[in-house]
Amino acid sequence: MKKLINDPVDVVAESVAGFGAAHADIVRVVADPLHVVRRDAPVAGKVALVSGGGSGHEPLHAGYVGHGMLDAAVPGAVFTSPTPDRILAAMQAVDAGAGVLLIVKNYTGDVLNFETAAELAAAQGIDVRTVVTDDDVAVTDSLYTAGRRGTGGTVLVERIAGAAAERGDDLDAVASIAAAVNADARSMGVALTPCTVPHSGEPSFALAEDEMEFGIGIHGEPGRETLPMEAADRIVDRLLDVILPDLPFASGDRVLLMTDGMGGTPLAELYIAHRRASERLAEEGIEVVRSLVGDHVTALEMQGCALTVLRLDDERIELWDAPVQTASLRWRR
Amino acid sequence: MKKLINDPVDVVAESVAGFGAAHADIVRVVADPLHVVRRDAPVAGKVALVSGGGSGHEPLHAGYVGHGMLDAAVPGAVFTSPTPDRILAAMQAVDAGAGVLLIVKNYTGDVLNFETAAELAAAQGIDVRTVVTDDDVAVTDSLYTAGRRGTGGTVLVERIAGAAAERGDDLDAVASIAAAVNADARSMGVALTPCTVPHSGEPSFALAEDEMEFGIGIHGEPGRETLPMEAADRIVDRLLDVILPDLPFASGDRVLLMTDGMGGTPLAELYIAHRRASERLAEEGIEVVRSLVGDHVTALEMQGCALTVLRLDDERIELWDAPVQTASLRWRR
Amino acid sequence: MDVDSNWATDWVRRSADAVAAHKADLAALDRAIGDGDHGENLDRGYRAALAALDGLGDDATPADALMLVATTLISNVGGAAGPLYGTAFLKASGAAQGLDELGPSDVVAILTAARDGIVLRGKAEPGDKTMVDAWTPAVEAASAAAAAGSDVRAVLEAAAGAAERGAVDTEPLVARKGRASYLGERSAGHRDPGAESTALLLRAAAEAAADAAERRGS
Amino acid sequence: MDVDSNWATDWVRRSADAVAAHKADLAALDRAIGDGDHGENLDRGYRAALAALDGLGDDATPADALMLVATTLISNVGGAAGPLYGTAFLKASGAAQGLDELGPSDVVAILTAARDGIVLRGKAEPGDKTMVDAWTPAVEAASAAAAAGSDVRAVLEAAAGAAERGAVDTEPLVARKGRASYLGERSAGHRDPGAESTALLLRAAAEAAADAAERRGS
Ligand SMILES: Nc1ncnc2c1ncn2[C@@H]1O[C@H](COP(=O)(O)OP(=O)(O)O)[C@@H](O)[C@H]1O
Ligand SMILES: Nc1ncnc2c1ncn2[C@@H]1O[C@H](COP(=O)(O)OP(=O)(O)O)[C@@H](O)[C@H]1O
Ligand SMILES: [Mg+2]
Ligand SMILES: [Mg+2]
Ligand SMILES: [Mg+2]
Ligand SMILES: [Mg+2]
């Protein structure tokens, strides 16, 4: 394992410090308890959006802090949910009295730590709502598991709810838009290579040269099944075979298609996958009206890709297109 | 070698097709001879910027086509300069009568193919200027080699010259801004892992678990020397030890600092490197006034990083900050 | 003989040692059916707890020591284990409130409160292949030992042994909670990392009691 | 005996075969001191040239065939080798202009024009460890053979042999042009891929001439 790091213990602190240095026009980094807030926080009158989770998924979440998206991001250790004190500090830093929406990916650790923070914040008089994202259709059985995981759809929730908050929607409205976007988003990913957590030094799982991990989780936890490696088009079709019937998406739907890298996939390969996914959706009569291709929710240096499909309507398109100014998603500002 | 591809022969065509599908609001893809132009090309009265080179460096160059940057990009086969017929077709598609500036990275193949295309275009009455970028200080001896290579600085040239063209500067003015930016930019990179060209199936070079390739080229060609692997801060210092004295950058300079991934490096690691680079520049009295962190000039799935330092002045800052709308660099539009 | 706050702080120290010594083992277990961070997370938490012990006054009660562990773990561990162990020690501290010396039934009450706290937070049932599968047999064995008249040392010895067996017994189970549940049937055949760390912590508690007994010459 | 346009088209076919057969070897040489694409690039170009041969009329001259190779390589190879080989065949075609049959001195003129075209485009000198180091001895050997009264077959045989030796002789050289020059001293000890492909192409030319001679029974 070769990594561009110093002491593994300092990975998150140093990385977030570098992030703060690079994007001082957009964010402010607080070192202890560690969290990232938008430069102009708290924004008077605006509902504040706070998210967070284990590190190693960059640009998620700090890369999405800024105008039209998150007010604060709370990074945990690599692949480890942040602790409640950090989350609470972030909530306190951004609450402008209009309340805080927590966007939490559905993993036991995230849910429990954010729950604790929400209780502490509520006790201090902060108005809190929580939306738990669970767009990952790889998890088959939601009853006898921790439930579906939050993955790529989280970025779309952050963006669209963020735009609603920027527009002036109140806490309940922003929370309900976030929940509705999550409910209409479906994702699934495949890994070609594992990843290695810095302090561990061991790959998260083993894959032979002719195998892929289908339904991989973003923490490098093994997926649904190990399958023989296939051509890109076939892999994309396999992912969509699970994603599309789940909502279900139907002919006539307008959607946003997100083709996400895992951190180590060349962009050229993501576009090859995106090409087939767009083509397949067209074959099914589903119109791709917005696209997002690149590394958005990663797992360190893992190679592979994940697809997210979100059903759109006029309002969501308008919110999607509204100005956004973050380190990793930016337009019209 | 596992890659998210179909037939290796189709990699570039399929990837560019996917790129076109994802960014139809910004670009138009012409399949034969393959090139990418901005959606609204030719732009009346505007000097057109055309660049290109081997594929495998994405988002370079197609990701930088759009308002305020390139008018066209010409992708070659993976790591192989495009042929003159493609370059010529791109020039014809974007020339609005105000002339075309070719931005060419200094590799023998690129120089020769663009030279041929420029001759053909000139014969057709197109006013052509060429700027060859050669910011890579890893090449020690420019007299007895093909000369310094064009790397990260190319993106900065494309951006700043692109903004000048958008502002309405004439061909000579745009060409001279491009040449001046190239002259004030210095880059150098290090690879922790090699990359594998799709049709080759073999890694471009061998590196032991405790080694890094210092002064790597963006085609995975071996670098200046193979060194023992070190901590990120030490690696960054080594790169700056070569970069800074070369121009030389001096106390009081204002600069843009670009910390570039090679394609497979986790973003978190790039920020760790960026942190040390910013710190070091501050120690030398050099003020980092603009930052760019991420994958900009890559070598497939290679891991490592490259630093580019560009000296800025008020005009360059103004041009840098002007609206830009491309797939991979976008603000204020 | 009963135990006091020295036992509680000794428990923290021994726990920190045990977690540090088995960090790689816990990471390996968590890599197999989770994300590989359990060893590092707990170790970070217990190193912080160890450092925090210095701030504990001479007149600290066992409840104070347990509360310190709770808050330190909550704000340093993260992940699933952070809030779960944090809640466990929070509830354990509640059960020890007002007591300077802890007898066998007090220890049973502490262990029971800890287990109940974990179940309250995590909503896992026995058999879901979580740390609950180490805590539950531990609580049962401790109750039985106390009912049979054992002293604190024997009660904790019974709890530790039962937790260790409980951890081993998670191996054939299919996970239904936490990250391992995503694996479904593929989670069978691996020991649950949280159950394993529970066994380590309860073994540390038993050793601290044995040492206390030795020191007092009983 | 002299050669005609059949020799020229046969040269293209044999070149395509040779490049396809040695694609991996050329790639390996280029990986060692370059970027590994030389085999694939030339193969793509010669496959296109092969396909383009069909479009060549029955009355095509050797110059037409050489021009077709030139334009096809230029618009299909890319990289450094595309314009270099493209210019070589462009100039070779110029040297063959107006001739239906090529005698020994015509072949020397063609090879000389090709080599000069490469030098004009690439500005490499002998000893820079490029394809020029195969072309230059080839031109010299061909001239010497022609001056000594050899026929076309022997002239091309001399050129091919000299190119092969020239390619081997690039091994100890330090590259001063092209991608390999970035390696400096580290480029020594490896054969230049462009010199090697030049040897393959000239060997194909010699074989085509030998075959033509055989067919005509000379
Ligand atoms: N709902 C739950 N109830 C009880 N214990 C749980 C629950 N979910 C997870 N655990 C325990 O947490 C352990 C994993 O902890 P850890 O690796 O630190 O967290 P994460 O899964 O967030 O990485 C599991 O081995 C299991 O024992
Ligand atoms: N300036 C030059 N003059 C002559 N030949 C050159 C020159 N530069 C490169 N070459 C030849 O080109 C070969 C490499 O071709 P190729 O791999 O196709 O191009 P690239 O280096 O662009 O990948 C080298 O082995 C060398 O023989
Ligand atoms: Mg975790
Ligand atoms: Mg090349
Ligand atoms: Mg874990
Ligand atoms: Mg090459």
Side-chain angles (χ1 to χ4, degrees):
Chain A
M1 175 207 62
K2 273 182 285 188
K3 290 183 177 287
L4 199 59
I5 62 174
N6 297 300
D7 189 330
V9 165
D10 300 324
V11 160
V12 174
E14 291 184 350
S15 177
V16 176
F19 176 84
H23 307 293
D25 53 330
I26 297 176
V27 300
R28 215 159 12 97
V29 167
V30 177
D32 190 23
L34 185 66
H35 62 282
V36 177
V37 299
R38 64 187 264 188
R39 165 127 232 111
D40 55 352
V43 181
K46 194 183 86 69
V47 170
L49 275 68
V50 175
S51 191
S55 293
H57 307 300
E58 291 67 28
L60 194 76
H61 295 271
Y64 302 119
V65 171
H67 180 98
M69 218 160 164
L70 296 178
D71 293 80
V74 193
V78 175
F79 288 178
T80 300
S81 162
T83 53
D85 55 323
R86 290 185 185 179
I87 304 168
L88 179 63
M91 294 170 79
Q92 291 168 329
V94 298
D95 179 41
V100 176
L101 176 66
L102 295 178
I103 299 173
V104 184
K105 301 191 298 301
N106 189 34
Y107 299 92
T108 305
D110 292 83
V111 169
L112 296 182
N113 285 287
F114 275 85
E115 200 172 86
T116 306
E119 287 165 13
L120 297 172
Q124 296 180 7
I126 297 179
D127 203 0
V128 187
R129 300 285 181 286
T130 299
V131 169
V132 177
T133 61
D134 57 355
D135 53 308
D136 184 3
V137 297
V139 179
T140 33
D141 187 338
S142 323
L143 219 60
Y144 294 105
T145 64
R148 289 182 163 180
R149 301 171 289 209
T151 57
T154 312
V155 175
L156 311 182
V157 170
E158 293 177 358
R159 166 60 189 135
I160 296 176
E166 207 70 58
R167 166 173 82 177
D169 286 16
D170 69 16
L171 183 57
D172 283 323
V174 175
S176 97
I177 284 175
V181 168
N182 175 61
D184 281 353
R186 294 293 184 279
S187 303
M188 182 144 161
V190 60
L192 310 188
T193 63
C195 57
T196 301
V197 175
H199 56 65
S200 139
E202 295 284 334
S204 53
F205 53 89
L207 267 184
E209 183 50 46
D210 56 354
E211 287 177 348
M212 60 181 178
E213 192 68 26
F214 190 67
I216 188 74
I218 59 167
H219 295 83
E221 64 269 39
R224 210 186 238 227
E225 47 181 338
T226 306
L227 291 178
M229 181 65 192
E230 292 177 307
D233 285 5
R234 184 75 198 93
I235 294 174
V236 165
D237 278 327
R238 266 189 199 281
L239 293 173
L240 290 175
D241 285 344
V242 184
I243 289 173
L244 298 182
D246 193 273
L247 186 57
F249 294 93
S251 179
D253 277 354
R254 289 176 300 164
V255 301
L256 184 155
L257 170 63
M258 169 169 163
T259 301
D260 197 49
M262 299 265 166
T265 317
L267 188 53
E269 296 181 22
L270 296 182
Y271 282 118
I272 289 175
H274 191 77
R275 178 195 123 279
R276 174 58 199 155
S278 310
E279 198 177 83
R280 166 72 183 275
L281 289 170
E283 285 163 19
E284 311 252 352
I286 299 165
E287 193 190 354
V288 177
V289 297
R290 292 295 180 274
S291 287
L292 198 61
V293 183
D295 278 339
H296 294 97
V297 181
T298 63
L300 299 169
E301 75 282 5
M302 193 184 278
Q303 290 184 23
C305 82
L307 299 177
T308 299
V309 185
L310 166 67
R311 192 187 276 153
L312 293 175
D313 56 21
D314 288 341
E315 184 189 25
R316 285 181 193 164
I317 292 173
E318 188 184 305
L319 290 169
W320 179 260
D321 289 343
V324 57
Q325 182 179 2
T326 69
S328 290
L329 214 62
R330 184 165 176 180
W331 50 75
R332 297 177 58 196
R333 245 183 99 96
Chain B
M1 175 206 60
K2 273 182 287 189
K3 290 184 176 286
L4 200 60
I5 63 174
N6 298 299
D7 188 331
V9 165
D10 300 324
V11 160
V12 174
E14 292 185 351
S15 178
V16 176
F19 176 83
H23 307 293
D25 53 329
I26 297 176
V27 300
R28 215 158 13 96
V29 168
V30 177
D32 189 24
L34 185 66
H35 62 281
V36 177
V37 300
R38 64 188 264 189
R39 167 126 232 113
D40 54 352
V43 181
K46 193 183 87 66
V47 169
L49 275 68
V50 175
S51 190
S55 291
H57 307 301
E58 290 69 26
L60 195 74
H61 296 270
Y64 301 120
V65 171
H67 181 98
M69 217 161 166
L70 295 179
D71 291 80
V74 192
V78 175
F79 288 178
T80 300
S81 161
T83 52
D85 56 323
R86 290 185 185 178
I87 302 168
L88 179 62
M91 293 170 80
Q92 290 167 331
V94 300
D95 179 40
V100 176
L101 175 68
L102 295 177
I103 298 172
V104 183
K105 303 193 295 303
N106 189 35
Y107 299 92
T108 305
D110 293 83
V111 169
L112 296 183
N113 284 286
F114 275 84
E115 200 172 86
T116 305
E119 287 165 13
L120 297 171
Q124 297 182 6
I126 298 180
D127 202 2
V128 188
R129 298 286 181 287
T130 298
V131 170
V132 176
T133 61
D134 58 354
D135 52 307
D136 184 2
V137 298
V139 179
T140 32
D141 188 340
S142 322
L143 218 59
Y144 294 105
T145 64
R148 288 181 165 181
R149 301 171 290 209
T151 59
T154 312
V155 175
L156 311 183
V157 170
E158 292 177 0
R159 167 60 189 132
I160 295 176
E166 208 70 60
R167 168 174 80 176
D169 286 16
D170 69 17
L171 183 56
D172 283 323
V174 175
S176 96
I177 284 175
V181 168
N182 175 63
D184 281 353
R186 293 294 183 278
S187 302
M188 182 143 161
V190 59
L192 309 188
T193 64
C195 57
T196 301
V197 174
H199 56 65
S200 138
E202 296 283 334
S204 53
F205 54 90
L207 267 185
E209 183 50 47
D210 56 355
E211 287 176 349
M212 59 180 177
E213 191 68 27
F214 190 68
I216 188 75
I218 60 167
H219 295 83
E221 66 268 39
R224 208 185 239 230
E225 49 182 335
T226 306
L227 292 177
M229 180 65 192
E230 293 178 306
D233 285 4
R234 184 75 195 93
I235 294 174
V236 165
D237 279 327
R238 265 189 200 281
L239 293 173
L240 290 175
D241 285 344
V242 184
I243 288 174
L244 298 182
D246 193 273
L247 185 59
F249 293 94
S251 180
D253 278 353
R254 289 175 301 164
V255 301
L256 184 156
L257 170 64
M258 169 167 163
T259 301
D260 197 50
M262 298 267 166
T265 318
L267 189 52
E269 296 181 22
L270 295 183
Y271 281 118
I272 289 175
H274 191 77
R275 178 197 123 277
R276 174 58 199 157
S278 311
E279 198 175 85
R280 166 73 183 275
L281 289 171
E283 285 163 19
E284 310 254 349
I286 299 165
E287 194 190 353
V288 178
V289 296
R290 292 295 179 273
S291 286
L292 197 61
V293 184
D295 277 340
H296 294 97
V297 181
T298 63
L300 299 168
E301 75 283 5
M302 193 184 278
Q303 289 183 24
C305 82
L307 299 178
T308 298
V309 184
L310 166 68
R311 192 187 277 154
L312 294 175
D313 55 22
D314 288 342
E315 183 189 27
R316 286 181 192 162
I317 292 173
E318 189 186 304
L319 291 168
W320 179 259
D321 288 344
V324 58
Q325 181 179 3
T326 70
S328 290
L329 213 62
R330 187 168 174 177
W331 50 76
R332 297 178 54 199
R333 244 182 98 98
Chain C
M1 49 134 300
D2 294 347
V3 293
D4 57 14
S5 68
N6 285 324
W7 165 79
T9 52
D10 194 28
W11 182 13
V12 178
R13 282 191 200 94
R14 286 173 182 274
S15 297
D17 287 351
V19 166
H22 293 89
K23 187 166 105 166
D25 308 338
L26 295 174
L29 291 178
D30 196 28
R31 247 192 328 271
I33 57 169
D35 59 355
D37 60 355
H38 189 59
E40 181 72 20
N41 290 352
L42 259 197
D43 184 49
R44 184 176 54 244
Y46 267 101
R47 274 189 285 119
L50 206 56
L53 275 189
D54 296 342
L56 212 59
D58 287 344
D59 55 350
T61 62
D64 294 336
L66 293 169
M67 177 57 91
L68 177 118
V69 172
T71 55
T72 314
L73 294 186
I74 289 177
S75 60
N76 286 281
V77 175
L84 290 169
Y85 278 127
T87 307
F89 284 99
L90 209 68
K91 300 294 182 185
S93 170
Q97 213 59 50
L99 303 172
D100 286 323
E101 298 262 318
L102 307 172
S105 64
D106 300 322
V107 168
V108 169
I110 284 175
L111 295 181
T112 306
R115 193 268 317 267
D116 292 351
I118 291 168
V119 171
L120 187 78
R121 263 271 172 246
K123 302 192 181 58
E125 288 172 22
D128 283 354
K129 194 179 183 116
T130 69
M131 57 174 66
V132 170
D133 294 321
W135 280 99
T136 298
V139 166
E140 283 163 6
S143 303
S150 298
D151 64 3
V152 165
R153 175 183 178 165
V155 164
L156 282 169
E157 176 61 37
E164 284 161 356
R165 285 187 298 278
V168 172
D169 290 348
T170 62
E171 290 180 12
L173 300 177
V174 171
R176 292 212 216 107
K177 279 277 184 290
R179 199 175 300 280
S181 69
Y182 305 137
L183 278 174
E185 303 290 332
R186 289 210 278 170
S187 63
H190 299 275
R191 189 177 305 182
D192 178 64
E196 179 70 13
S197 61
T198 296
L200 291 176
L201 299 185
L202 292 183
R203 172 59 58 200
E207 285 174 359
D211 198 51
E214 233 98 283
R215 265 188 280 113
R216 293 214 207 162
S218 98
Chain D
M1 52 135 295
D2 294 348
V3 294
D4 57 14
S5 68
N6 285 324
W7 164 78
T9 52
D10 194 30
W11 181 15
V12 179
R13 285 194 198 91
R14 285 173 184 274
S15 296
D17 288 350
V19 167
H22 292 90
K23 188 166 108 165
D25 308 338
L26 294 175
L29 291 180
D30 196 28
R31 248 195 322 276
I33 56 170
D35 58 356
D37 59 356
H38 190 59
E40 182 72 19
N41 290 352
L42 258 197
D43 184 49
R44 185 175 54 245
Y46 266 101
R47 274 190 286 117
L50 207 54
L53 275 189
D54 296 341
L56 213 56
D58 286 345
D59 54 351
T61 61
D64 294 337
L66 293 169
M67 177 58 92
L68 179 119
V69 173
T71 56
T72 315
L73 294 186
I74 288 177
S75 61
N76 285 281
V77 175
L84 290 170
Y85 277 127
T87 306
F89 283 99
L90 209 68
K91 301 293 183 188
S93 171
Q97 209 62 48
L99 303 172
D100 286 323
E101 299 261 318
L102 308 172
S105 64
D106 300 323
V107 167
V108 170
I110 284 175
L111 296 181
T112 306
R115 192 267 319 267
D116 291 351
I118 292 169
V119 171
L120 188 79
R121 262 271 172 248
K123 304 192 180 58
E125 288 171 22
D128 282 355
K129 196 181 183 111
T130 70
M131 55 173 70
V132 169
D133 294 320
W135 280 99
T136 298
V139 166
E140 282 163 6
S143 304
S150 300
D151 63 4
V152 165
R153 176 184 180 165
V155 165
L156 282 168
E157 177 61 37
E164 284 161 356
R165 284 186 300 278
V168 172
D169 290 348
T170 62
E171 290 180 12
L173 299 177
V174 172
R176 289 212 218 108
K177 278 279 182 288
R179 200 177 299 284
S181 69
Y182 304 139
L183 279 174
E185 302 291 334
R186 290 209 279 170
S187 63
H190 298 277
R191 189 177 304 181
D192 178 63
E196 180 69 12
S197 60
T198 295
L200 291 176
L201 299 185
L202 292 184
R203 172 59 60 200
E207 285 173 358
D211 199 48
E214 233 96 284
R215 266 188 278 116
R216 295 211 203 164
S218 95

